[in-house]
């Protein structure tokens, strides 16, 4: 990922001597790039339709409270200008701001060319793209951190805050990298076109999906999933909630009426990238209906009204949730064929490292259980799983069954029970959190109870 360049919506405010806004300019799309001159001074190059602006990165404030929502601002004190970035891919923006921090911090501790020498220099005037962050940059900042004064973040950085920020910036160098097959998928998403990627359990589908979500502009990207719990994991909403046509059992005419409601219509028209996780659980008939609704609502005869689809799931794991006796997979529909998906299969398993076990799981995934596999699995029944007083976790098909086991184990403890009740900062979201979060609203524990930390 290139962390020296970012494309986003941009607003530039010019301030007067009283720090009031005297002029405002806005662009829906602009490209910001970090560059250096021949004296290694760092500039921000802003390229917008028909023109370009260059700002020297010195004596600035970076406001990044909402960077995970694709928003940030930079105030240039010397030239009394504030630039506002919005609708930026969240992961790109985080990387871009961290690159500014560590490159400026590194520049502070590197040798400087005096202004007189710059004016008398015979060097060719050159502006070039800044190099990516490397370990040398990080070490240089770490050695000179206590001397840094020129850059402030939201009112100034104390030494502990700066240290924390440095660790965060260092993570850019050491962060977990995408595999080659995951990178291919992201590149395909950015090129446009409809994408479907799949893979067995543990191949990094959820990890990749979150990367994709953070790579796309948030204002025009909608992350959905077939169920509430799956939607919760991608910080999105259910596909049914997004579509706004209820269960889809009503007539097509009624579905159009429901989707034409102002609030629903606005979401449909604004959406450019629709992400659907656990696509295998979406019924084919419902998939066909919302595809047709999208074309009518958006007044565009392209599949899904021209929205880019990014689908993820494994058709060999979870079937559609349908009350009727016969449910149809999405890939069995005409709508699926019309979307002309580019299909990618993730093959590298990250969750397990034992090649024999991985091979067994692959066979079971395809419904092929040989006598040899049966023998290997039955042999594990004699394994002792309990260790150091910890009882092995049992996996259940239904939440009700898991709750009964947990309550039974809790009742065996003689200690006094203590109740913990969740307090939501946004009371209006309580119902949604209770329905979609895997965590219970009320938690009852006793001393000696076995607890599993999920995150």
């Amino acid at each position: 990922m290139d962390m020296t360049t970012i494309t986003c919506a941009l607003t530039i405010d010019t301030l007067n001597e009283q720090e009031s806004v005297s002029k405002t300019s806005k662009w829906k799309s602009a490209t910001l790039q970090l560059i250096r001159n021949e004296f290694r001074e760092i500039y921000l190059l802003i390229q917008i339709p028909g023109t370009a602006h260059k700002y020297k990165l010195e004596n600035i404030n970076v406001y990044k409270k909402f960077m995970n929502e694709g928003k940030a601002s930079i105030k240039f004190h010397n030239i009394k200008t504030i630039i506002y970035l919005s609708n930026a891919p969240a992961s790109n923006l985080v990387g871009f701001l961290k690159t500014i921090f560590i490159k400026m911090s590194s520049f502070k501790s590197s040798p400087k060319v005096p202004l007189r020498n710059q004016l008398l220099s015979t060097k060719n005037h050159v502006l070039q793209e800044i190099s990516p962050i490397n370990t040398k940059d990080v070490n240089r900042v770490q050695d000179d951190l206590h001397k840094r004064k020129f850059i402030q973040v939201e009112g100034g950085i104390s030494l502990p805050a700066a240290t924390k920020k440095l660790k965060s910036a260092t993570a850019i160098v050491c962060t977990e990298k995408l595999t080659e097959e995951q990178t291919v998928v992201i590149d395909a998403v950015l090129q446009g076109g409809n994408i479907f990627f799949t893979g067995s359990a543990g191949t990094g589908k959820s990890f990749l999906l979150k990367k994709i979500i953070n790579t796309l502009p948030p204002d025009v990207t909608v992350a959905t999933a077939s169920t509430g719990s799956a939607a919760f994991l991608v910080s999105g909403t259910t596909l049914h909630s997004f579509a706004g046509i209820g269960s889809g059992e009503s007539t097509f005419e009624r579905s159009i009426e429901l989707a034409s409601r102002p609030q629903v219509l606005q979401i449909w028209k604004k959406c450019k990238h629709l992400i659907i996780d656990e696509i295998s659980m979406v019924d084919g008939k419902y998939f066909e209906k919302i595809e047709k609704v999208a074309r009518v609502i958006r007044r565009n005869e392209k599949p899904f009204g021209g929205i880019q689809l990014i689908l993820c799931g494994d058709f060999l794991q979870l079937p559609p949730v349908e009350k009727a006796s016969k449910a149809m997979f999405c890939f069995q529909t005409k709508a699926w064929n019309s979307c002309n998906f580019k299909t990618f299969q993730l093959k590298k398993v990250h969750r397990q490292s034992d090649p024999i076990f991985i091979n067994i799981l692959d066979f079971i995934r395809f419904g092929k259980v040989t006598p040899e596999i049966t023998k290997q699995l039955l042999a594990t029944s004699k394994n002792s799983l309990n260790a150091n007083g910890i009882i092995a976790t049992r996996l259940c098909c239904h939440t009700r069954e898991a709750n009964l086991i947990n309550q039974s184990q809790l009742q065996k403890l003689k200690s006094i029970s203590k109740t913990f009740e969740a307090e939501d900062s946004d009371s209006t979201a309580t119902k949604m959190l209770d329905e979609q979060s895997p965590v219970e609203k009320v938690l009852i524990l006793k001393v000696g109870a076995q607890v599993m930390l999920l995150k």
Side-chain angles (χ1 to χ4, degrees):
M1 183 187 297
D2 183 7
M3 290 180 289
T4 63
T5 303
I6 191 168
T7 300
C8 60
L10 184 71
T11 299
I12 299 180
D13 280 350
T14 304
L15 309 179
N16 57 26
E17 292 299 325
Q18 288 74 40
E19 295 288 316
S20 299
V21 178
S22 60
K23 180 182 177 182
T24 298
S25 303
K26 296 182 179 182
W27 296 270
K28 289 184 177 180
S29 180
T31 299
L32 286 69
Q33 184 180 22
L34 298 176
I35 58 175
R36 290 187 190 275
N37 64 9
E38 64 272 26
F39 305 110
R40 299 189 63 76
E41 294 174 322
I42 306 172
Y43 288 81
L44 179 64
L45 178 65
I46 300 177
Q47 297 172 313
I48 48 183
T51 185
H53 300 274
K54 184 180 68 174
Y55 299 95
K56 188 175 182 179
L57 287 176
E58 64 176 1
N59 194 20
I60 65 172
N61 280 77
V62 178
Y63 299 90
K64 42 75 182 176
K65 183 177 181 180
F66 299 103
M67 64 181 178
N68 288 322
E69 298 176 15
K71 301 174 184 177
S73 62
I74 304 174
K75 183 174 182 179
F76 296 81
H77 291 277
N78 293 353
I79 57 174
K80 296 188 179 301
T81 299
I82 304 175
I83 66 170
Y84 299 91
L85 291 70
S86 60
N87 198 28
S91 61
N92 290 19
L93 181 58
V94 171
F96 186 76
L97 295 180
K98 288 178 180 178
T99 301
I100 289 178
F101 169 80
I102 204 162
K103 284 294 183 180
M104 290 186 67
S105 300
S106 178
F107 175 74
K108 172 69 175 178
S109 59
S110 61
K112 305 297 184 300
V113 179
L115 180 59
R116 174 182 172 82
N117 292 3
Q118 291 187 27
L119 294 173
L120 297 176
S121 174
T122 57
K123 286 185 176 181
N124 293 330
H125 182 62
V126 177
L127 291 174
Q128 59 185 7
E129 182 178 340
I130 205 166
S131 60
I133 291 175
N134 53 48
T135 307
K136 184 178 179 181
D137 290 324
V138 175
N139 292 338
R140 183 181 294 158
V141 176
Q142 198 167 18
D143 292 340
D144 200 51
L145 189 60
H146 65 283
K147 297 178 182 179
R148 183 174 52 79
K149 296 179 181 178
F150 75 105
I151 183 171
Q152 302 176 26
V153 179
E154 298 188 9
I157 297 181
S158 63
L159 184 60
T163 304
K164 180 179 179 180
K165 193 169 181 64
L166 175 63
K167 290 180 180 178
S168 185
T170 307
I172 296 176
V173 182
C174 309
T175 188
E176 181 182 356
K177 294 182 179 180
L178 293 169
T179 63
E180 183 177 348
E181 60 184 6
Q182 290 171 337
T183 302
V184 169
V185 176
I186 286 190
D187 289 343
V189 168
L190 296 178
Q191 289 171 10
N194 296 324
I195 304 296
F196 167 60
F197 64 94
T198 185
S200 61
T203 52
K205 296 189 296 296
S206 298
F207 169 79
L208 177 57
L209 194 65
K210 290 178 181 178
K211 289 287 186 182
I212 291 172
I213 293 171
N214 287 330
T215 302
L216 296 171
D219 285 5
V220 292
T221 303
V222 180
T224 72
S226 53
T227 65
S229 56
F232 183 83
L233 294 176
V234 295
S235 302
T237 186
T238 62
L239 181 61
H240 290 73
S241 177
F242 161 78
I245 63 171
S247 63
E249 295 177 357
S250 56
T251 64
F252 178 71
E253 290 73 20
R254 176 57 180 162
S255 297
I256 293 297
E257 290 179 9
L258 292 171
S260 297
R261 290 172 294 173
Q263 187 175 0
V264 179
L265 181 63
Q266 182 182 11
I267 296 173
W268 267 113
K269 288 191 172 182
K270 192 176 182 181
C271 178
K272 291 184 179 179
H273 314 279
L274 177 59
I275 295 170
I276 308 177
D277 192 15
E278 300 292 3
I279 185 63
S280 66
M281 296 180 69
V282 177
D283 181 59
K285 295 176 183 177
Y286 184 79
F287 185 80
E288 283 197 314
K289 179 166 282 189
I290 61 173
E291 190 279 326
K292 191 175 180 181
V293 166
R295 284 188 281 119
V296 174
I297 289 296
R298 292 171 61 87
R299 298 181 181 180
N300 186 328
E301 282 305 308
K302 293 181 179 179
F304 268 87
I307 296 175
Q308 181 191 21
L309 292 185
I310 300 143
L311 311 185
C312 171
D314 183 7
F315 286 106
L316 292 173
Q317 287 189 42
L318 298 169
V321 178
E322 180 61 35
K323 294 180 181 179
S325 56
K326 288 187 178 180
M328 181 168 56
F329 284 111
C330 290
F331 67 81
Q332 296 175 301
T333 65
K334 292 181 179 179
W336 180 282
N337 293 331
S338 70
C339 290
N340 193 26
F341 287 102
K342 293 180 181 178
T343 301
F344 300 88
Q345 182 177 3
L346 304 180
K347 298 179 179 178
K348 181 176 176 58
V349 177
H350 303 273
R351 194 173 295 164
Q352 287 89 25
S353 57
D354 184 348
I356 297 176
F357 187 45
I358 292 173
N359 186 57
I360 290 174
L361 293 176
D362 280 339
F363 268 86
I364 293 175
R365 179 169 176 256
F366 286 99
K368 299 177 180 178
V369 183
T370 65
E372 178 61 26
I373 289 176
T374 301
K375 181 180 178 181
Q376 288 174 310
L377 290 177
L378 289 176
T380 64
S381 64
K382 300 177 182 178
N383 292 350
S384 177
L385 302 179
N386 299 343
N388 299 323
I390 301 297
I391 302 172
T393 301
R394 288 182 60 181
L395 300 180
C396 304
C397 296
H398 302 285
T399 303
R400 181 179 58 186
E401 184 183 354
N403 288 339
L404 288 173
I405 294 172
N406 291 335
Q407 290 171 9
S408 173
Q409 292 294 329
L410 194 65
Q411 289 173 0
K412 292 179 181 179
L413 297 174
K414 297 180 180 180
S415 52
I416 300 174
S417 62
K418 185 172 179 59
T419 302
F420 300 88
E421 186 170 354
E423 295 182 3
D424 302 318
S425 56
D426 183 359
S427 59
T428 60
T430 296
K431 183 179 179 182
M432 181 190 70
L433 289 171
D434 290 345
E435 291 175 351
Q436 298 186 8
S437 172
V439 181
E440 296 286 344
K441 180 178 177 62
V442 178
L443 183 64
I444 300 175
L445 295 176
K446 291 182 179 181
V447 174
Q450 188 168 304
V451 178
M452 177 186 290
L453 300 180
L454 298 179
K455 245 183 179 181

